[in-house]
Amino acid sequence: MTKSTEHNALQQRFGNRVRKQRTDAKSSGFGRLIIVIYGVFSLSAGVRSLYQLGTEFSEAPLAIILSTISAVIYVIATVALTKTGPGWHRIAWIAVWIEMIGVLAVGLLSVVSPELFAKASVWSHFGAGYGYVPLVLPIIGLIWLWRTRPTRANG
C-alpha cells in the first residue's frame, strides 16, 4: 500500500479532519475577549459558590444561593457565546439578560436590605467586590450580541 492510498483509506475510515474556519464576529477579536471574561467569571463565581456552599452556607444562605445562580448563568452564557448559530445566539441573549436583571435586582436588594447579605454574593452591591465588572459585563455583552446577531439571510 502506498502512502497515498493509505492516506485515502484513513480519510475514508475516519473522515476528513479539515475544520471549517469560523467567520462569525462573535468568536473573533473583541468577541473572544468577552468570551474569556465570561469564562473567568464562570470559574471564579463557580469556585466561590462551591466553597461557600460547603463552608459558609448557614451564615448567609440567600447570598450563597444567589452566587451559585450567578455562576450557573455565567457558565451558560460562556458556552452559548462560544457556539455558532441562531439558537445559541438566542440562549446567550437570554442568559446575559438574566445576568443583567440579576445584578440589578441583587445589587439593589443588597443596598436596601444588607442584613440579607452577611456574606457578599457576586452580584451584591452591583458587583463591587469584583470591581463592578458584573454590572458592566452584561451591558457590553448585550451590545455585542446585538451587533453580532445572526440575520435571516446568514443565520
Side-chain angles (χ1 to χ4, degrees), residues 117-144:
F117 293 87
K119 296 283 182 183
S121 78
V122 175
W123 291 340
S124 61
H125 294 91
F126 304 102
Y130 288 85
Y132 296 100
V133 173
L135 179 62
V136 176
L137 187 59
I139 296 167
I140 293 169
L142 289 170
I143 292 168
W144 185 250

PDB file of all heavy atoms in Angstrom, residues 117-144:
ATOM      1  N   PHE A 117     -27.409  39.879  53.401  1.00  0.00           N
ATOM      2  CA  PHE A 117     -26.132  39.555  52.769  1.00  0.00           C
ATOM      3  C   PHE A 117     -24.989  39.610  53.782  1.00  0.00           C
ATOM      4  O   PHE A 117     -24.096  40.450  53.674  1.00  0.00           O
ATOM      5  CB  PHE A 117     -25.881  40.510  51.598  1.00  0.00           C
ATOM      6  CG  PHE A 117     -26.852  40.319  50.478  1.00  0.00           C
ATOM      7  CD1 PHE A 117     -28.068  40.993  50.478  1.00  0.00           C
ATOM      8  CD2 PHE A 117     -26.582  39.444  49.451  1.00  0.00           C
ATOM      9  CE1 PHE A 117     -28.978  40.801  49.459  1.00  0.00           C
ATOM     10  CE2 PHE A 117     -27.486  39.246  48.426  1.00  0.00           C
ATOM     11  CZ  PHE A 117     -28.694  39.923  48.424  1.00  0.00           C
ATOM     12  N   ALA A 118     -25.046  38.684  54.746  1.00  0.00           N
ATOM     13  CA  ALA A 118     -23.950  38.594  55.716  1.00  0.00           C
ATOM     14  C   ALA A 118     -22.642  38.270  54.998  1.00  0.00           C
ATOM     15  O   ALA A 118     -21.567  38.674  55.424  1.00  0.00           O
ATOM     16  CB  ALA A 118     -24.258  37.532  56.766  1.00  0.00           C
ATOM     17  N   LYS A 119     -22.738  37.527  53.915  1.00  0.00           N
ATOM     18  CA  LYS A 119     -21.611  37.253  53.015  1.00  0.00           C
ATOM     19  C   LYS A 119     -21.984  37.839  51.660  1.00  0.00           C
ATOM     20  O   LYS A 119     -23.114  37.707  51.205  1.00  0.00           O
ATOM     21  CB  LYS A 119     -21.374  35.745  52.860  1.00  0.00           C
ATOM     22  CG  LYS A 119     -20.969  35.044  54.125  1.00  0.00           C
ATOM     23  CD  LYS A 119     -19.522  35.320  54.398  1.00  0.00           C
ATOM     24  CE  LYS A 119     -19.091  34.574  55.643  1.00  0.00           C
ATOM     25  NZ  LYS A 119     -17.728  34.854  55.997  1.00  0.00           N
ATOM     26  N   ALA A 120     -21.047  38.473  51.032  1.00  0.00           N
ATOM     27  CA  ALA A 120     -21.329  39.098  49.737  1.00  0.00           C
ATOM     28  C   ALA A 120     -21.500  38.027  48.656  1.00  0.00           C
ATOM     29  O   ALA A 120     -20.842  36.993  48.674  1.00  0.00           O
ATOM     30  CB  ALA A 120     -20.193  40.029  49.353  1.00  0.00           C
ATOM     31  N   SER A 121     -22.410  38.296  47.742  1.00  0.00           N
ATOM     32  CA  SER A 121     -22.534  37.454  46.555  1.00  0.00           C
ATOM     33  C   SER A 121     -21.798  38.143  45.418  1.00  0.00           C
ATOM     34  O   SER A 121     -21.360  39.287  45.547  1.00  0.00           O
ATOM     35  CB  SER A 121     -24.012  37.238  46.201  1.00  0.00           C
ATOM     36  OG  SER A 121     -24.533  38.370  45.563  1.00  0.00           O
ATOM     37  N   VAL A 122     -21.675  37.467  44.304  1.00  0.00           N
ATOM     38  CA  VAL A 122     -21.002  38.051  43.146  1.00  0.00           C
ATOM     39  C   VAL A 122     -21.706  39.337  42.718  1.00  0.00           C
ATOM     40  O   VAL A 122     -21.066  40.307  42.325  1.00  0.00           O
ATOM     41  CB  VAL A 122     -20.974  37.038  41.977  1.00  0.00           C
ATOM     42  CG1 VAL A 122     -20.393  37.645  40.720  1.00  0.00           C
ATOM     43  CG2 VAL A 122     -20.184  35.796  42.380  1.00  0.00           C
ATOM     44  N   TRP A 123     -23.022  39.356  42.816  1.00  0.00           N
ATOM     45  CA  TRP A 123     -23.799  40.485  42.328  1.00  0.00           C
ATOM     46  C   TRP A 123     -24.159  41.490  43.419  1.00  0.00           C
ATOM     47  O   TRP A 123     -24.743  42.527  43.117  1.00  0.00           O
ATOM     48  CB  TRP A 123     -25.072  39.993  41.663  1.00  0.00           C
ATOM     49  CG  TRP A 123     -24.847  39.261  40.381  1.00  0.00           C
ATOM     50  CD1 TRP A 123     -23.749  39.298  39.581  1.00  0.00           C
ATOM     51  CD2 TRP A 123     -25.759  38.380  39.740  1.00  0.00           C
ATOM     52  NE1 TRP A 123     -23.916  38.511  38.491  1.00  0.00           N
ATOM     53  CE2 TRP A 123     -25.146  37.925  38.558  1.00  0.00           C
ATOM     54  CE3 TRP A 123     -27.036  37.930  40.051  1.00  0.00           C
ATOM     55  CZ2 TRP A 123     -25.768  37.045  37.685  1.00  0.00           C
ATOM     56  CZ3 TRP A 123     -27.654  37.047  39.173  1.00  0.00           C
ATOM     57  CH2 TRP A 123     -27.026  36.613  38.007  1.00  0.00           C
ATOM     58  N   SER A 124     -23.850  41.222  44.694  1.00  0.00           N
ATOM     59  CA  SER A 124     -24.237  42.170  45.737  1.00  0.00           C
ATOM     60  C   SER A 124     -23.478  43.483  45.563  1.00  0.00           C
ATOM     61  O   SER A 124     -22.338  43.508  45.094  1.00  0.00           O
ATOM     62  CB  SER A 124     -24.019  41.575  47.132  1.00  0.00           C
ATOM     63  OG  SER A 124     -22.680  41.252  47.349  1.00  0.00           O
ATOM     64  N   HIS A 125     -24.160  44.551  45.925  1.00  0.00           N
ATOM     65  CA  HIS A 125     -23.644  45.916  45.739  1.00  0.00           C
ATOM     66  C   HIS A 125     -23.192  46.131  44.292  1.00  0.00           C
ATOM     67  O   HIS A 125     -22.180  46.761  44.030  1.00  0.00           O
ATOM     68  CB  HIS A 125     -22.531  46.233  46.738  1.00  0.00           C
ATOM     69  CG  HIS A 125     -23.026  46.274  48.148  1.00  0.00           C
ATOM     70  ND1 HIS A 125     -23.021  45.163  48.965  1.00  0.00           N
ATOM     71  CD2 HIS A 125     -23.580  47.271  48.866  1.00  0.00           C
ATOM     72  CE1 HIS A 125     -23.541  45.488  50.133  1.00  0.00           C
ATOM     73  NE2 HIS A 125     -23.901  46.756  50.103  1.00  0.00           N
ATOM     74  N   PHE A 126     -23.976  45.553  43.378  1.00  0.00           N
ATOM     75  CA  PHE A 126     -23.760  45.700  41.933  1.00  0.00           C
ATOM     76  C   PHE A 126     -22.384  45.200  41.491  1.00  0.00           C
ATOM     77  O   PHE A 126     -21.817  45.710  40.535  1.00  0.00           O
ATOM     78  CB  PHE A 126     -23.984  47.147  41.497  1.00  0.00           C
ATOM     79  CG  PHE A 126     -25.336  47.669  41.881  1.00  0.00           C
ATOM     80  CD1 PHE A 126     -25.497  48.499  42.977  1.00  0.00           C
ATOM     81  CD2 PHE A 126     -26.459  47.314  41.157  1.00  0.00           C
ATOM     82  CE1 PHE A 126     -26.752  48.974  43.337  1.00  0.00           C
ATOM     83  CE2 PHE A 126     -27.722  47.780  41.510  1.00  0.00           C
ATOM     84  CZ  PHE A 126     -27.869  48.609  42.609  1.00  0.00           C
ATOM     85  N   GLY A 127     -21.863  44.181  42.191  1.00  0.00           N
ATOM     86  CA  GLY A 127     -20.577  43.605  41.816  1.00  0.00           C
ATOM     87  C   GLY A 127     -19.379  44.369  42.333  1.00  0.00           C
ATOM     88  O   GLY A 127     -18.280  44.263  41.782  1.00  0.00           O
ATOM     89  N   ALA A 128     -19.556  45.119  43.428  1.00  0.00           N
ATOM     90  CA  ALA A 128     -18.456  45.935  43.973  1.00  0.00           C
ATOM     91  C   ALA A 128     -17.237  45.088  44.315  1.00  0.00           C
ATOM     92  O   ALA A 128     -16.103  45.526  44.108  1.00  0.00           O
ATOM     93  CB  ALA A 128     -18.926  46.696  45.211  1.00  0.00           C
ATOM     94  N   GLY A 129     -17.460  43.882  44.819  1.00  0.00           N
ATOM     95  CA  GLY A 129     -16.343  43.008  45.184  1.00  0.00           C
ATOM     96  C   GLY A 129     -15.533  42.541  43.988  1.00  0.00           C
ATOM     97  O   GLY A 129     -14.413  42.048  44.136  1.00  0.00           O
ATOM     98  N   TYR A 130     -16.067  42.699  42.809  1.00  0.00           N
ATOM     99  CA  TYR A 130     -15.389  42.307  41.571  1.00  0.00           C
ATOM    100  C   TYR A 130     -15.113  43.532  40.690  1.00  0.00           C
ATOM    101  O   TYR A 130     -15.054  43.437  39.469  1.00  0.00           O
ATOM    102  CB  TYR A 130     -16.235  41.294  40.789  1.00  0.00           C
ATOM    103  CG  TYR A 130     -16.259  39.932  41.424  1.00  0.00           C
ATOM    104  CD1 TYR A 130     -17.163  39.620  42.426  1.00  0.00           C
ATOM    105  CD2 TYR A 130     -15.377  38.934  41.022  1.00  0.00           C
ATOM    106  CE1 TYR A 130     -17.195  38.369  43.010  1.00  0.00           C
ATOM    107  CE2 TYR A 130     -15.403  37.675  41.594  1.00  0.00           C
ATOM    108  CZ  TYR A 130     -16.311  37.405  42.585  1.00  0.00           C
ATOM    109  OH  TYR A 130     -16.342  36.146  43.156  1.00  0.00           O
ATOM    110  N   GLY A 131     -14.979  44.694  41.323  1.00  0.00           N
ATOM    111  CA  GLY A 131     -14.661  45.910  40.590  1.00  0.00           C
ATOM    112  C   GLY A 131     -15.772  46.388  39.673  1.00  0.00           C
ATOM    113  O   GLY A 131     -15.507  47.032  38.661  1.00  0.00           O
ATOM    114  N   TYR A 132     -17.004  46.063  40.016  1.00  0.00           N
ATOM    115  CA  TYR A 132     -18.199  46.422  39.243  1.00  0.00           C
ATOM    116  C   TYR A 132     -18.229  45.808  37.845  1.00  0.00           C
ATOM    117  O   TYR A 132     -19.070  46.173  37.028  1.00  0.00           O
ATOM    118  CB  TYR A 132     -18.396  47.945  39.166  1.00  0.00           C
ATOM    119  CG  TYR A 132     -18.643  48.544  40.525  1.00  0.00           C
ATOM    120  CD1 TYR A 132     -17.625  49.160  41.222  1.00  0.00           C
ATOM    121  CD2 TYR A 132     -19.898  48.455  41.125  1.00  0.00           C
ATOM    122  CE1 TYR A 132     -17.841  49.698  42.489  1.00  0.00           C
ATOM    123  CE2 TYR A 132     -20.127  48.978  42.392  1.00  0.00           C
ATOM    124  CZ  TYR A 132     -19.095  49.595  43.066  1.00  0.00           C
ATOM    125  OH  TYR A 132     -19.307  50.118  44.318  1.00  0.00           O
ATOM    126  N   VAL A 133     -17.347  44.868  37.587  1.00  0.00           N
ATOM    127  CA  VAL A 133     -17.375  44.172  36.295  1.00  0.00           C
ATOM    128  C   VAL A 133     -18.703  43.437  36.100  1.00  0.00           C
ATOM    129  O   VAL A 133     -19.253  43.455  34.993  1.00  0.00           O
ATOM    130  CB  VAL A 133     -16.160  43.223  36.151  1.00  0.00           C
ATOM    131  CG1 VAL A 133     -16.264  42.382  34.890  1.00  0.00           C
ATOM    132  CG2 VAL A 133     -14.871  44.026  36.152  1.00  0.00           C
ATOM    133  N   PRO A 134     -19.291  42.809  37.148  1.00  0.00           N
ATOM    134  CA  PRO A 134     -20.589  42.165  36.939  1.00  0.00           C
ATOM    135  C   PRO A 134     -21.694  43.124  36.501  1.00  0.00           C
ATOM    136  O   PRO A 134     -22.669  42.692  35.892  1.00  0.00           O
ATOM    137  CB  PRO A 134     -20.914  41.561  38.315  1.00  0.00           C
ATOM    138  CG  PRO A 134     -19.587  41.317  38.928  1.00  0.00           C
ATOM    139  CD  PRO A 134     -18.744  42.492  38.479  1.00  0.00           C
ATOM    140  N   LEU A 135     -21.560  44.400  36.777  1.00  0.00           N
ATOM    141  CA  LEU A 135     -22.542  45.388  36.337  1.00  0.00           C
ATOM    142  C   LEU A 135     -22.285  45.811  34.889  1.00  0.00           C
ATOM    143  O   LEU A 135     -23.211  45.962  34.099  1.00  0.00           O
ATOM    144  CB  LEU A 135     -22.512  46.613  37.251  1.00  0.00           C
ATOM    145  CG  LEU A 135     -23.468  47.755  36.910  1.00  0.00           C
ATOM    146  CD1 LEU A 135     -24.918  47.278  36.985  1.00  0.00           C
ATOM    147  CD2 LEU A 135     -23.236  48.923  37.851  1.00  0.00           C
ATOM    148  N   VAL A 136     -21.037  45.968  34.528  1.00  0.00           N
ATOM    149  CA  VAL A 136     -20.666  46.447  33.199  1.00  0.00           C
ATOM    150  C   VAL A 136     -20.700  45.323  32.155  1.00  0.00           C
ATOM    151  O   VAL A 136     -21.090  45.544  31.007  1.00  0.00           O
ATOM    152  CB  VAL A 136     -19.266  47.111  33.251  1.00  0.00           C
ATOM    153  CG1 VAL A 136     -18.799  47.531  31.879  1.00  0.00           C
ATOM    154  CG2 VAL A 136     -19.278  48.298  34.203  1.00  0.00           C
ATOM    155  N   LEU A 137     -20.309  44.124  32.557  1.00  0.00           N
ATOM    156  CA  LEU A 137     -20.199  42.997  31.616  1.00  0.00           C
ATOM    157  C   LEU A 137     -21.492  42.692  30.861  1.00  0.00           C
ATOM    158  O   LEU A 137     -21.456  42.543  29.633  1.00  0.00           O
ATOM    159  CB  LEU A 137     -19.672  41.754  32.342  1.00  0.00           C
ATOM    160  CG  LEU A 137     -19.353  40.550  31.468  1.00  0.00           C
ATOM    161  CD1 LEU A 137     -18.295  40.892  30.430  1.00  0.00           C
ATOM    162  CD2 LEU A 137     -18.873  39.394  32.346  1.00  0.00           C
ATOM    163  N   PRO A 138     -22.649  42.605  31.519  1.00  0.00           N
ATOM    164  CA  PRO A 138     -23.850  42.315  30.732  1.00  0.00           C
ATOM    165  C   PRO A 138     -24.239  43.446  29.776  1.00  0.00           C
ATOM    166  O   PRO A 138     -24.792  43.185  28.711  1.00  0.00           O
ATOM    167  CB  PRO A 138     -24.931  42.070  31.781  1.00  0.00           C
ATOM    168  CG  PRO A 138     -24.444  42.696  33.023  1.00  0.00           C
ATOM    169  CD  PRO A 138     -22.946  42.637  32.958  1.00  0.00           C
ATOM    170  N   ILE A 139     -23.918  44.677  30.131  1.00  0.00           N
ATOM    171  CA  ILE A 139     -24.201  45.797  29.222  1.00  0.00           C
ATOM    172  C   ILE A 139     -23.371  45.630  27.948  1.00  0.00           C
ATOM    173  O   ILE A 139     -23.888  45.693  26.827  1.00  0.00           O
ATOM    174  CB  ILE A 139     -23.912  47.155  29.901  1.00  0.00           C
ATOM    175  CG1 ILE A 139     -24.856  47.370  31.083  1.00  0.00           C
ATOM    176  CG2 ILE A 139     -24.018  48.305  28.894  1.00  0.00           C
ATOM    177  CD1 ILE A 139     -24.463  48.521  31.993  1.00  0.00           C
ATOM    178  N   ILE A 140     -22.083  45.377  28.123  1.00  0.00           N
ATOM    179  CA  ILE A 140     -21.199  45.162  26.982  1.00  0.00           C
ATOM    180  C   ILE A 140     -21.621  43.901  26.216  1.00  0.00           C
ATOM    181  O   ILE A 140     -21.655  43.900  24.987  1.00  0.00           O
ATOM    182  CB  ILE A 140     -19.732  45.067  27.445  1.00  0.00           C
ATOM    183  CG1 ILE A 140     -19.273  46.425  27.992  1.00  0.00           C
ATOM    184  CG2 ILE A 140     -18.820  44.615  26.303  1.00  0.00           C
ATOM    185  CD1 ILE A 140     -17.945  46.387  28.705  1.00  0.00           C
ATOM    186  N   GLY A 141     -21.961  42.850  26.973  1.00  0.00           N
ATOM    187  CA  GLY A 141     -22.392  41.604  26.339  1.00  0.00           C
ATOM    188  C   GLY A 141     -23.644  41.774  25.495  1.00  0.00           C
ATOM    189  O   GLY A 141     -23.726  41.255  24.375  1.00  0.00           O
ATOM    190  N   LEU A 142     -24.617  42.498  26.008  1.00  0.00           N
ATOM    191  CA  LEU A 142     -25.855  42.723  25.255  1.00  0.00           C
ATOM    192  C   LEU A 142     -25.603  43.564  24.006  1.00  0.00           C
ATOM    193  O   LEU A 142     -26.167  43.279  22.940  1.00  0.00           O
ATOM    194  CB  LEU A 142     -26.908  43.380  26.145  1.00  0.00           C
ATOM    195  CG  LEU A 142     -27.502  42.470  27.222  1.00  0.00           C
ATOM    196  CD1 LEU A 142     -28.341  43.280  28.200  1.00  0.00           C
ATOM    197  CD2 LEU A 142     -28.318  41.348  26.603  1.00  0.00           C
ATOM    198  N   ILE A 143     -24.776  44.574  24.129  1.00  0.00           N
ATOM    199  CA  ILE A 143     -24.435  45.390  22.951  1.00  0.00           C
ATOM    200  C   ILE A 143     -23.726  44.528  21.908  1.00  0.00           C
ATOM    201  O   ILE A 143     -24.044  44.572  20.718  1.00  0.00           O
ATOM    202  CB  ILE A 143     -23.573  46.605  23.353  1.00  0.00           C
ATOM    203  CG1 ILE A 143     -24.407  47.582  24.178  1.00  0.00           C
ATOM    204  CG2 ILE A 143     -22.985  47.298  22.118  1.00  0.00           C
ATOM    205  CD1 ILE A 143     -23.587  48.671  24.865  1.00  0.00           C
ATOM    206  N   TRP A 144     -22.776  43.709  22.367  1.00  0.00           N
ATOM    207  CA  TRP A 144     -22.034  42.854  21.442  1.00  0.00           C
ATOM    208  C   TRP A 144     -22.957  41.824  20.780  1.00  0.00           C
ATOM    209  O   TRP A 144     -22.868  41.589  19.566  1.00  0.00           O
ATOM    210  CB  TRP A 144     -20.885  42.162  22.166  1.00  0.00           C
ATOM    211  CG  TRP A 144     -20.037  41.381  21.219  1.00  0.00           C
ATOM    212  CD1 TRP A 144     -19.931  40.034  21.113  1.00  0.00           C
ATOM    213  CD2 TRP A 144     -19.178  41.901  20.208  1.00  0.00           C
ATOM    214  NE1 TRP A 144     -19.070  39.691  20.112  1.00  0.00           N
ATOM    215  CE2 TRP A 144     -18.597  40.826  19.534  1.00  0.00           C
ATOM    216  CE3 TRP A 144     -18.855  43.194  19.796  1.00  0.00           C
ATOM    217  CZ2 TRP A 144     -17.699  40.990  18.486  1.00  0.00           C
ATOM    218  CZ3 TRP A 144     -17.965  43.345  18.742  1.00  0.00           C
ATOM    219  CH2 TRP A 144     -17.395  42.252  18.117  1.00  0.00           C
TER     220      TRP A 144
END
